[in-house]
Amino acid sequence: IPRPETCLVTSKPSKANMKLLITLPLVSLLLAAGSALVAEEKPFPGKKSKWQGFDMYQDGGRKVIVPAKVAEGKPWVWRARFFGHQPQFDVALLKMGYHLVYCNVGGLYGSNTAVERWNAFYKYLREERGFAEKAVLEGMSRGGLIIYNWGIANPEKVAVIYGDAPVMDFKSWPGPGSGGILKAYGFKNAEEAKAYKRNPVDNLKPLADAGVPIIHVVGDADTVVPVSENTTIAEKRYQEMGGTFKVIHKEKVGHHPHSLKDPAPLVDFVLKH
């Protein structure tokens, strides 16, 4: 409460005025607190429904799933691609008070357009909804391209990366001659795509410099997104840069099923870092 002499008065205030001068700042503080609570409780835009027992708001290609009790600091998981598939990890963190969000950029293969779309969603969640500065990024399969490319462009905004059989080089999948890759990146032909040197496997230094810890789950028999062409290369390069990169191998398992039946090792890694 400000001292009375800091208020603008032209004569000595009466006792009634003094009481008013002291009370008004208190009223202002209470009104401000009430406004903050209203802003906090304001629902997210879009259609409301239930997902795994939690409130979900869907607005076009964006989804926000709200925990029953929000953890301090508003931590959050940003899921890329195949929303709802093998959701064990997502549900575990929702139960711990994390928000879960999704922004559909599936057909953009981690291109600049996809990164810009994620930038806009991040800005909204951070500035208008008060989410934590750093997100946990989760990408399955082709989702690896966007979580890595967005993280590389915004390393200071990443808490942890969890990749699950992730694509880290579009030359491995879907291939440099893919029509989707040519369109998304604006390449004229497959030769131009082959010469591209900014796939995640080639561009990990910003994440290493920022100290972003990484964990992957892979099936050693994966022939769709071969481990040797993606995770193995990234793991070696990242560790040589001094970064933390843990890989959980599933023997005799292919590209599917994703995740782990018990997500505890993934949750523990996130909480540790």
Side-chain angles (χ1 to χ4, degrees):
I1 301 172
R3 296 193 304 273
E5 60 266 28
T6 65
C7 300
L8 294 176
V9 292
T10 57
S11 62
K12 185 177 179 179
S14 66
K15 287 184 179 180
N17 286 338
M18 280 290 291
K19 185 177 181 181
L20 180 61
L21 288 171
I22 293 171
T23 304
L24 280 174
L26 280 173
V27 173
S28 298
L29 287 171
L30 290 171
L31 287 172
S35 297
L37 287 173
V38 170
E40 178 70 22
E41 295 169 358
K42 180 182 177 182
F44 288 87
K47 182 180 178 182
K48 183 179 179 182
S49 60
K50 285 289 185 180
W51 184 80
Q52 299 288 335
F54 299 95
D55 288 343
M56 179 173 75
Y57 297 86
Q58 181 166 353
D59 185 18
R62 296 176 172 183
K63 303 178 196 287
V64 177
I65 298 83
V66 182
K69 183 177 180 181
V70 179
E72 183 178 356
K74 276 196 172 181
W76 51 300
V77 179
W78 199 339
R79 171 78 181 250
R81 198 59 182 150
F82 306 113
F83 179 82
H85 178 65
Q86 297 290 343
Q88 301 90 294
F89 172 76
D90 301 331
V91 172
L93 288 182
L94 275 165
K95 289 179 178 178
M96 299 180 72
Y98 283 63
H99 280 80
L100 172 66
V101 309
Y102 175 82
C103 180
N104 184 21
V105 290
L108 297 174
Y109 300 95
S111 63
N112 288 338
T113 302
V115 171
E116 288 168 5
R117 194 172 293 178
W118 270 38
N119 283 340
F121 195 30
Y122 175 89
K123 181 179 175 66
Y124 163 73
L125 294 171
R126 176 75 177 137
E127 296 182 4
E128 297 188 36
R129 307 304 305 211
F131 278 29
E133 180 181 12
K134 296 186 177 185
V136 176
L137 303 183
E138 174 192 6
M140 290 185 179
S141 194
R142 76 175 68 179
L145 289 171
I146 181 56
I147 62 169
Y148 272 100
N149 285 340
W150 187 83
I152 287 163
N154 300 276
E156 74 285 355
K157 299 171 184 174
V158 183
V160 178
I161 286 179
Y162 158 40
D164 201 296
V167 178
M168 298 190 70
D169 186 344
F170 63 59
K171 285 174 272 188
S172 171
W173 185 96
S178 162
I181 293 296
L182 298 180
K183 181 179 179 181
Y185 284 81
F187 298 130
K188 295 177 182 177
N189 50 51
E191 292 304 314
E192 197 170 288
K194 286 179 183 178
Y196 187 70
K197 297 296 184 184
R198 296 191 67 79
N199 268 289
V201 289
D202 308 312
N203 200 22
L204 295 167
K205 194 173 187 303
L207 294 171
D209 288 346
V212 176
I214 296 172
I215 186 168
H216 279 194
V217 174
V218 298
D220 287 341
D222 191 341
T223 57
V224 179
V225 182
V227 180
S228 62
E229 297 174 3
N230 295 273
T231 292
T232 300
I233 296 172
E235 178 187 19
K236 181 176 183 296
R237 291 177 178 175
Y238 205 67
Q239 289 177 347
E240 287 174 350
M241 296 174 189
T244 298
F245 198 122
K246 180 178 179 180
V247 182
I248 298 175
H249 292 268
K250 298 183 291 188
E251 296 182 3
K252 299 179 181 180
V253 173
H255 193 60
H256 294 280
H258 287 290
S259 192
L260 303 171
K261 289 183 179 180
D262 179 2
L266 302 170
V267 173
D268 290 346
F269 187 87
V270 167
L271 297 182
K272 177 182 177 180
H273 295 285

